[in-house]
Amino acid sequence: MATGKQIDTDILSDEIFDTLCSMCKNKGKNTEGEKYCVDCKDYFCITCVQVHDQVPLCAGHKVLDKSQVKSGTSKTLPRAPTERCDRHSHKHIDMYCQNHDNVGCSTCMAVDHRLCKDTFYIPEFIQNNTCQLASREIQIRLKEIAKTLAKHADRFKQDKQRLLKRKAEILADIRKFRQEINDHLDKLEKSSIDEIEDKVKCLEDKIEAGLKQLQANKSRITSANDKLAYTNTNKAEVFVHVKMAENAANVANMYIEDAKIKNTVEDIDFQPDRTILTQLEQMKALGTLSEKPAKASINLFQIKGHQLYNVKDKSDTTNCHITSACCMEDGTIILADYNNNKLKRLHSDNYTVTDCCDLPGRPHQVCMINNTQVAVTVPHRNEVHFISLSGKMKTTNKIKTDFGCRGLAYANNNLYISDG
């Protein structure tokens, strides 16, 4: 039960009535309120404020002493913000530092703005200051910032996609380079094998030749021995066999002595080139990886729109073939019509033909000299014509060249002409 000070209802004024405890008043009792809840916009007596604080929905409400509330302003005081502080989650953001134009909870103000002179309770500041809450403007600004952030997010996504694509390309390059190394090693291996095969073939041929000589000598020795072993009474025949045997023995002995000197039994060996392994051992990778700024995709020009315009003049004898265009400072456009041998002036608003200037040949390039004059090349006649734009277009001068002048540009009081 509320035990606050009871007030006689007969003497209540409107101001005093507004400061009664709201909970007691709902029970038909007129108890003076000692506390004021900014969020509930109600007064509470000492007992009822304790009940108020125990209600979960009222946790965190800002409760002030009656003396802290200005007279006559309690009922019109705006509701306190309910946004929680990021740093002090048990506190509401209900304070404003005018010096730094920043908001925070009471703890933030005590810690970060204790030296600031102009700190205010937000409901009171709003009530006592005529401030424009430009929520619409800040919403527009936030939307623009959100769009910008979205563009940056898209850029990050594109950067990631480009990075992954580049990764795949580099991995493919590494595999390609590895394959090139493999191919080269295969060639070195084949070259070494071919060299061994050639060497062995040469030695084999040499051995085979030696074997043939050996077999030939062996056959002669065997034949001579067989003939000597055969009993023959013909002394002349025996004499011939003896001499042939002596000759076969001499040839065989020469073969044996020669074989000892030449040492026909040869061997082969292979010594690998260790410099290859040494270089590979010194390498940490197949190449070097470096970072470099990505090439920015910048569109210097963007087409905002396009439309077809009819630039045919009633005096034209064939279809228009525009080879060059020149835009004057006032927006007027000068066209070089190759097929109809003329320059055409277009209106800056609707791009209709307002004037034409006939030329003695087919024009190629037109450029501005000043606000009232242009120059145009006529390649087939080796001429550059100067056209006045004051009034009706007309030729005022010309330059004769010894080449088929085509390109034309004017800068810093110099006329530049290029040939074909």
Side-chain angles (χ1 to χ4, degrees):
M1 177 180 289
T3 59
K5 179 181 178 182
Q6 297 290 322
I7 301 177
D8 187 356
T9 58
D10 295 334
I11 61 172
L12 286 177
S13 65
D14 291 340
E15 183 175 345
I16 295 176
F17 187 81
D18 288 339
T19 60
L20 295 179
C21 174
S22 60
M23 295 180 68
C24 291
K25 189 163 53 176
N26 291 336
K27 297 178 181 180
K29 297 180 180 180
N30 297 320
T31 307
E32 184 178 0
E34 299 295 337
K35 301 289 184 177
Y36 177 73
C37 177
V38 177
D39 299 273
C40 297
K41 296 184 179 180
D42 282 322
Y43 281 92
F44 297 94
C45 64
I46 299 299
T47 302
C48 292
V49 77
Q50 297 176 1
V51 178
H52 166 273
D53 292 342
Q54 293 175 0
V55 177
L57 293 177
C58 298
H61 282 198
K62 188 173 186 65
V63 178
L64 305 175
D65 289 334
K66 182 178 180 180
S67 60
Q68 294 178 288
V69 182
K70 294 182 179 181
S71 177
T73 63
S74 61
K75 289 301 179 181
T76 58
L77 199 65
R79 184 177 293 274
T82 59
E83 186 73 23
R84 295 279 183 177
C85 179
D86 292 336
R87 294 169 57 189
H88 313 98
S89 57
H90 61 290
K91 295 280 189 176
H92 290 95
I93 300 176
D94 54 4
M95 298 297 293
Y96 171 62
C97 174
Q98 194 173 25
N99 300 106
H100 292 92
D101 192 25
N102 197 7
V103 295
C105 67
S106 56
T107 304
C108 291
M109 294 297 151
V111 174
D112 300 330
H113 303 273
R114 60 183 180 274
L115 299 179
C116 299
K117 296 181 179 179
D118 300 321
T119 57
F120 303 95
Y121 178 57
I122 291 177
E124 292 182 353
F125 180 80
I126 295 175
Q127 183 187 51
N128 299 327
N129 294 271
T130 305
C131 59
Q132 297 292 332
L133 299 177
S135 60
R136 177 60 180 169
E137 289 75 6
I138 193 63
Q139 282 181 334
I140 295 174
R141 183 184 175 191
L142 291 175
K143 286 181 179 179
E144 293 298 327
I145 294 176
K147 288 181 181 179
T148 304
L149 293 176
K151 290 181 180 179
H152 284 287
D154 292 339
R155 189 194 68 187
F156 281 122
K157 292 179 181 178
Q158 293 173 2
D159 290 344
K160 182 178 179 180
Q161 293 175 355
R162 184 177 63 252
L163 179 63
L164 294 177
K165 180 180 178 181
R166 187 60 187 141
K167 172 189 173 183
E169 293 173 351
I170 292 176
L171 291 177
D173 291 340
I174 292 174
R175 296 188 184 98
K176 181 180 178 181
F177 182 56
R178 169 62 185 272
Q179 187 59 48
E180 291 178 2
I181 295 175
N182 290 345
D183 293 342
H184 195 67
L185 290 175
D186 291 340
K187 290 180 181 179
L188 294 177
E189 180 184 9
K190 185 177 183 304
S191 178
S192 298
I193 293 174
D194 290 343
E195 184 180 0
I196 293 173
E197 293 290 349
D198 293 341
K199 185 65 175 178
V200 170
K201 181 67 169 58
C202 180
L203 293 177
E204 284 180 340
D205 292 342
K206 189 175 181 181
I207 291 173
E208 289 295 332
L211 283 173
K212 287 181 180 181
Q213 289 181 354
L214 187 147
Q215 292 294 338
N217 284 293
K218 184 178 179 181
S219 297
R220 284 194 295 269
I221 294 296
T222 301
S223 177
N225 189 41
D226 290 343
K227 289 178 180 180
L228 289 175
Y230 178 73
T231 303
N232 195 336
T233 57
N234 187 344
K235 293 182 178 180
E237 188 74 19
V238 172
F239 179 80
V240 170
H241 289 164
V242 170
K243 292 302 177 182
M244 290 180 65
E246 288 178 351
N247 184 50
N250 291 333
V251 172
N253 283 329
M254 289 177 61
Y255 170 76
I256 293 172
E257 294 299 327
D258 186 59
K260 288 181 180 180
I261 296 173
K262 291 183 178 180
N263 190 19
T264 57
V265 180
E266 296 183 19
D267 199 3
I268 59 174
D269 193 12
F270 175 75
Q271 294 295 330
D273 189 349
R274 294 290 175 181
T275 58
I276 298 176
L277 290 178
T278 303
Q279 291 179 354
L280 290 177
E281 290 172 355
Q282 292 176 351
M283 297 173 62
K284 295 182 179 179
L286 292 179
T288 57
L289 183 66
S290 60
E291 296 183 13
K292 60 181 182 179
K295 294 181 179 179
S297 178
I298 303 176
N299 295 324
L300 296 181
F301 298 98
Q302 292 183 344
I303 298 175
K304 293 184 177 180
H306 68 277
Q307 187 173 343
L308 295 177
Y309 294 95
N310 182 10
V311 295
K312 189 174 181 64
D313 185 69
K314 60 182 180 180
S315 61
D316 291 345
T317 58
T318 184
N319 292 333
C320 301
H321 180 195
I322 307 302
T323 57
S324 177
C326 174
C327 185
M328 309 300 292
E329 292 183 355
D330 61 356
T332 300
I333 296 178
I334 308 298
L335 301 179
D337 190 341
Y338 183 84
N339 283 352
N340 291 290
N341 297 355
K342 62 178 64 176
L343 288 185
K344 296 179 177 179
R345 176 159 51 184
L346 303 185
H347 196 279
S348 59
D349 293 331
N350 53 18
Y351 303 112
T352 57
V353 179
T354 60
D355 191 12
C356 292
C357 178
D358 293 326
L359 298 170
R362 295 183 172 184
H364 188 269
Q365 181 81 44
V366 60
C367 73
M368 182 179 71
I369 303 298
N370 52 49
N371 293 333
T372 61
Q373 190 179 39
V374 296
V376 60
T377 58
V378 185
H380 295 90
R381 295 180 62 88
N382 296 351
E383 294 176 350
V384 177
H385 287 243
F386 296 87
I387 311 299
S388 172
L389 304 180
S390 299
K392 186 174 178 58
M393 289 195 298
K394 60 182 179 180
T395 301
T396 58
N397 198 2
K398 68 179 180 180
I399 297 176
K400 189 71 175 178
T401 64
D402 57 356
F403 57 88
C405 47
R406 286 181 173 270
L408 194 64
Y410 183 81
N412 300 324
N413 296 323
N414 293 317
L415 185 65
Y416 300 88
I417 309 171
S418 66
D419 61 17

